Amino acid sequence: MSKESEDRRVAVLTALRSSPAGVSGEMLASALGVSRVAVRKHVAALHDLGYGIEARPGEGYRLVYIPDTPLPFEIAPLLKSDFYVRLEGGQATGSTNDDARALALAGAPEGTAVLASEQHAGRGRLGRGWASPPGGLYASIVLRPTAETPDAIVLPLVVGLGVVRGLEKLGARVRLKWPNDVYVPDGRKLSGILLEGLSEGWRLAWVVAGIGLNVRCAPEEHHATCLDDLVSKRHPVPVVAAAVLDSIAESYRTWCAEGFEPLRAAYEDRSWLGERLVHVTDVAGRLLADGRVSGIDGHGRLVVVTADGPVNISAGDVTLQDGEDGGEDQDGA
Ligand code: BTN
């Protein structure tokens, strides 16, 4: 869609919103400086995006329903941060991480975000799938950090903290399971984060931060929960998206300017692992540490005190020794 066409569509929507009783096609056409046929086309396009627009002979058009999906039209006016320069998508897609990756490879700037209301090929960590039914928020953000690649190892924690702070603004009490899973205190998973990037020597050409958040419902077969079960207010998906995107931008900008140290205490305060007894394994399932968590170091590594002393772990899968974390992650299998 051309920028001009998109602007007209937004103008039609704005006019419909500001006239709850309805507005005639003629008035819309003259306000926008287009023909009535063009107005009809824009109304039809909005209808395809999920807007309910009544067309009554003699009375014109009336907006009766706004879709509960992460449409850029709806999110953009709610964003407080000026970090986001381009919002894309908003309907069903394969994977927003794949879409954002394609945009990053084509040169999209930092602050480009792709959103979806559902995904048919959602991807999770460790090659797993990510169940992405309608009623969720699926978002991927293009980042272009200037930090050296080894320092960017902490980025998943930075993004995770952003997600949690965004959810707190919406009234949810949530925790971070290192490195970046979002849990509720009883151990059910609310959100997952997948970072993918392209390293060019010591720098990262781009990173895509993908966030999957169960908003209206949680996949039944997994140990998962959703936002609606945590808060009394039903927040529209665009409101959830704006809160989360704003907080991610804030955490990310702090990290870009000052590193992880200023975020460390905030992360530790929200750590689901606390000082629990854990097993940490690598991707191949080999044991990295068996002991008690003592915190997160300045590089975002998990510090586990083992019988042989403290071990600082930069990547791994953590399970509780007492089996409290409920087992399987949410995945699309
Ligand atoms: C995890 O395994 O916990 C990470 C899940 C990440 C899912 C999100 S949904 C938006 C983005 N697109 C994807 O295909 N995956 C990420």
Side-chain angles (χ1 to χ4, degrees):
M1 198 197 326
S2 74
K3 175 85 179 80
E4 200 186 350
S5 215
E6 190 178 320
D7 288 349
R8 292 239 163 85
R9 204 154 294 171
V10 173
V12 170
L13 194 57
T14 309
L16 288 170
R17 276 193 214 275
S18 56
S19 310
V23 53
S24 74
E26 201 177 329
M27 275 176 68
L28 278 173
S30 87
L32 268 69
V34 296
S35 68
R36 286 176 66 174
V37 175
V39 167
R40 263 203 297 278
K41 273 193 199 149
H42 290 306
V43 167
L46 288 169
H47 198 265
D48 289 345
L49 289 172
Y51 290 91
I53 300 171
E54 249 177 29
R56 291 212 179 143
E59 288 176 41
Y61 299 104
R62 197 164 74 90
L63 183 63
V64 290
Y65 174 76
I66 296 168
D68 189 30
T69 51
L71 288 167
F73 286 160
E74 297 293 326
I75 299 170
L78 303 174
L79 285 170
K80 296 194 178 85
S81 172
D82 60 3
F83 181 76
Y84 297 96
V85 294
R86 182 171 162 192
L87 300 182
E88 297 272 331
Q91 295 181 288
T93 190
S95 155
T96 54
N97 262 34
D98 291 346
D99 298 343
R101 178 177 184 273
L103 290 172
L105 285 167
E110 173 161 278
T112 298
V114 182
L115 299 122
S117 55
E118 60 180 298
Q119 299 182 119
H120 303 304
R123 292 188 288 107
R125 287 193 301 127
L126 307 170
R128 297 178 187 138
W130 180 258
S132 311
L137 170 66
Y138 312 103
S140 298
I141 309 164
V142 176
L143 305 172
R144 295 191 182 273
T146 54
E148 290 188 345
T149 307
D151 295 331
I153 271 180
V154 75
L155 250 184
L157 282 75
V158 173
V159 175
L161 181 60
V163 172
V164 163
R165 282 175 157 170
L167 291 166
E168 284 171 354
K169 283 189 213 149
L170 300 170
R173 193 168 160 251
V174 283
R175 295 278 174 267
L176 280 154
K177 184 193 171 204
W178 185 88
N180 61 356
D181 279 340
V182 178
Y183 273 28
V184 290
D186 73 7
R188 282 172 301 150
K189 184 161 164 172
L190 174 66
S191 171
I193 296 162
L194 174 67
L195 265 80
E196 298 175 308
L198 178 67
S199 178
E200 283 176 348
W202 283 84
R203 303 272 168 201
L204 286 155
W206 50 265
V207 172
V208 164
I211 300 105
L213 172 64
N214 305 323
V215 181
R216 299 278 167 256
C217 56
E220 267 172 31
E221 66 272 33
H222 307 289
H223 200 67
T225 187
C226 66
L227 187 61
D228 277 2
D229 286 348
L230 305 180
V231 293
S232 48
K233 191 170 172 199
R234 188 181 196 271
H235 297 288
V237 169
V239 170
V240 177
V244 166
L245 290 176
D246 272 339
S247 294
I248 293 173
E250 197 186 325
S251 291
Y252 175 71
R253 280 180 159 163
T254 301
W255 174 72
C256 288
E258 302 168 59
F260 185 63
E261 196 48 43
L263 302 172
R264 187 158 70 101
Y267 186 98
E268 277 188 331
D269 285 349
R270 292 162 176 82
S271 171
W272 184 78
L273 290 173
E275 296 189 346
R276 287 170 152 166
L277 282 169
V278 293
H279 294 291
V280 189
T281 50
D282 68 9
V283 212
R286 283 182 297 252
L287 186 69
L288 295 174
D290 226 351
R292 191 171 291 283
V293 173
S294 75
I296 308 292
D297 73 11
H299 302 286
R301 292 176 301 190
L302 184 72
V303 186
V304 179
V305 181
T306 69
D308 302 325
V311 181
N312 296 44
I313 299 159
S314 45
D317 246 14
V318 184
T319 48
L320 296 184
Q321 289 195 12
D322 57 12
E324 265 180 56
D325 69 346
E328 288 296 292
D329 266 1
Q330 169 177 15
D331 61 35

